[in-house]
Amino acid sequence: MVRSEMAFELVCTVCGFRHDGSRYRLHCDRCTGLLDIEYDLPPGTGARTVPGLPGLCRYAPMLPIKDPAGFVTLGEGNTPVIPLHGVGRDLDLRLLFAKLEYFNPTCSFKDRGNAIQVTVLKDLGITAAVDIAGGNAGHSLASYCARAGLKFIGFGYEDPQSPKIRAIEQTGAEIHWIEGDRRDCSEAMAEFCAANGILNLRYSQSAYFIEGQKTIAYEIAEQLDPLPDHIMAPVGNGSILLGLWKGFREMVEDGRIQAIPRLHAVQSEAFRPLVAVIEGYDWRPSLHADTVAVGIRISEPPRLAALASACQGSGGTAVAVPEASILRWYRRLASSDGIFVEPTSATVIAGTATLIQRGRIDKGDRVLTILTGYGLKEPIPESAATAN
Ligand SMILES: [Zn+2]
């Protein structure tokens, strides 16, 4: 099945104005609100797989791509779900599972979003793009750009020696180094793009990226029957949580599932903007705030209200976990189950422990944790050796 052009629209999350997919859009033309993608399909035809198409392509009717034949893939998706027997025993939780997103090609969940993002760029004839170089997102984006023959220009502001930056260098990407913080880096990118006429991707605001992330919900529905009672996701910018929420809602609308699992967001105590919104207090990061969970070291996620809707609309919540608990479960995952992930991923087990203590998760519940990134993509924290 090949969808005709314009089978999707970008709808403003603030004023509802609808835009066609003829160019790369991050914001509403009328009010600058962020956008969501909607599809015009008869009921019962949407959240289904297309037989014969590989990887994420099999969900083509519900993706913003023109032609599955042009799909940019490195073999992402189809990540395993396994039971966590050891950590489950530690938590006295019999039905604890993990979806191993580090099985994606660049060893993190970002590959789902970037496969779609870069396919859209290619569809639109865009040949070069700029974004922040750093983290799993930068490594993934640089890799998909290399695969598609697009020039990737990355802007970095911290840690030039990190394994992820070194990996980005291998893709042939051009990297510009900026003195300052993330905000300075964003300003420098905007100036560079305006001066050179090159697209500023800003993936963390992108509706296309979330469309890639929602495929995780489709896969979970194929892999776990019955669906889990709870899903635990680490939240920085929150694209997994937003993807889960959108994917499950599409399946409900399509009549494929009846109810959505409770979606719980896990943040570190040092960076907890979503927890603050849900619990109703003002929050700003302290001056020297830091966390070993570097993947969720985000103080201003662009879709904060939507993240709160995903938690509350599904009957879930958001929880902040302390550093000691992150490190304890980082190590226990490796020692009890042989699973070596980034500290960011271990937050979901720490969050599960907290929700059990609070009575939000019962011992007989089915709990799925999303393990987002592989352990060797980050230096191993010195303090992990003594965590228990
Ligand atoms: Zn608008």
Side-chain angles (χ1 to χ4, degrees):
M1 185 197 302
V2 177
R3 278 208 351 267
S4 61
E5 201 170 329
M6 306 314 211
F8 67 94
E9 289 181 309
L10 297 119
V11 183
C12 178
T13 56
V14 178
C15 77
F17 186 65
R18 305 179 83 86
H19 310 71
D20 68 35
S22 61
R23 65 182 176 84
Y24 185 86
R25 296 176 194 273
L26 288 176
H27 300 109
C28 176
D29 285 350
R30 284 197 177 166
C31 79
T32 73
L34 289 171
L35 304 171
D36 276 341
I37 292 178
E38 288 183 8
Y39 303 87
D40 183 19
L41 288 165
T45 60
R48 309 275 165 177
T49 57
V50 181
L53 292 180
L56 301 194
C57 256
R58 68 194 186 281
Y59 308 118
M62 294 301 278
L63 293 172
I65 56 177
K66 291 177 185 170
D67 178 4
F71 194 71
V72 179
T73 181
L74 287 168
E76 63 291 322
N78 291 317
T79 58
V81 171
I82 62 165
L84 296 180
H85 298 301
V87 169
R89 263 194 308 276
D90 294 342
L91 290 169
D92 198 15
L93 202 58
R94 201 163 41 84
L95 298 168
L96 179 65
F97 300 87
K99 186 156 173 68
L100 310 182
E101 283 293 283
Y102 55 82
F103 270 63
N104 278 301
T106 70
C107 305
S108 95
F109 72 100
K110 304 279 188 183
D111 293 337
R112 294 179 188 273
N114 282 321
I116 303 304
Q117 178 93 310
V118 173
T119 297
V120 167
L121 298 181
K122 199 173 154 219
D123 272 349
L124 295 172
I126 292 163
T127 56
V130 172
D131 214 327
I132 288 192
N136 287 320
H139 176 211
S140 172
L141 181 57
S143 302
Y144 279 85
C145 283
R147 177 72 168 175
L150 264 70
K151 182 176 176 63
F152 176 64
I153 302 162
F155 277 64
Y157 62 99
E158 59 182 3
D159 202 5
Q161 294 306 315
S162 84
K164 292 163 188 169
I165 291 288
R166 304 300 303 275
I168 291 172
E169 286 171 351
Q170 301 309 309
T171 68
E174 181 179 312
I175 302 183
H176 298 238
W177 288 100
I178 303 302
E179 296 274 336
D181 59 16
R182 193 180 183 96
R183 190 171 299 226
D184 299 317
C185 194
S186 294
E187 283 173 13
M189 284 197 306
E191 279 173 26
F192 176 88
C193 289
N196 294 282
I198 297 178
L199 180 68
N200 191 353
L201 275 190
R202 290 172 286 180
Y203 89 90
S204 63
Q205 300 176 36
S206 162
Y208 311 103
F209 192 86
I210 294 168
E211 293 304 289
Q213 295 308 136
K214 84 182 177 189
T215 60
I216 195 171
Y218 293 167
E219 287 184 15
I220 290 167
E222 291 166 0
Q223 290 170 307
L224 286 176
D225 183 15
L227 282 172
D229 301 302
H230 308 267
I231 300 182
M232 311 292 302
V235 169
N237 287 316
S239 68
I240 295 184
L241 181 65
L242 296 171
L244 286 164
W245 180 229
K246 188 156 195 285
F248 282 123
R249 274 183 303 149
E250 285 172 353
M251 282 186 276
V252 167
E253 283 165 21
D254 204 50
R256 187 174 151 185
I257 62 171
Q258 271 68 55
I260 296 176
R262 275 161 269 182
L263 305 177
H264 302 291
V266 187
Q267 303 198 294
S268 71
E269 284 191 342
F271 290 87
R272 54 180 200 282
L274 177 57
V275 174
V277 166
I278 287 182
E279 295 186 359
Y281 59 85
D282 286 332
W283 175 86
R284 282 171 196 278
S286 61
L287 192 57
H288 300 291
D290 207 358
T291 174
V292 288
V294 296
I296 52 174
R297 199 170 49 190
I298 302 284
S299 53
E300 294 176 37
R303 294 178 187 255
L304 192 52
L307 292 169
S309 296
C311 293
Q312 293 170 322
S314 66
T317 189
V319 59
V321 292
E323 296 298 292
S325 182
I326 299 170
L327 287 168
R328 179 186 313 130
W329 292 108
Y330 168 79
R331 190 166 169 86
R332 288 265 187 101
L333 269 167
S335 62
S336 297
D337 273 302
I339 289 177
F340 187 47
V341 290
E342 293 185 327
T344 301
S345 303
T347 60
V348 294
I349 308 296
T352 303
T354 303
L355 290 187
I356 291 170
Q357 280 168 6
R358 291 184 188 171
R360 292 288 298 251
I361 293 178
D362 290 329
K363 286 180 184 176
D365 288 352
R366 292 164 63 84
V367 180
L368 176 66
T369 58
I370 311 293
L371 299 183
T372 48
Y374 188 56
L376 286 181
K377 294 196 77 180
E378 276 295 316
I380 297 169
E382 291 296 330
S383 44
T386 52
N388 57 48

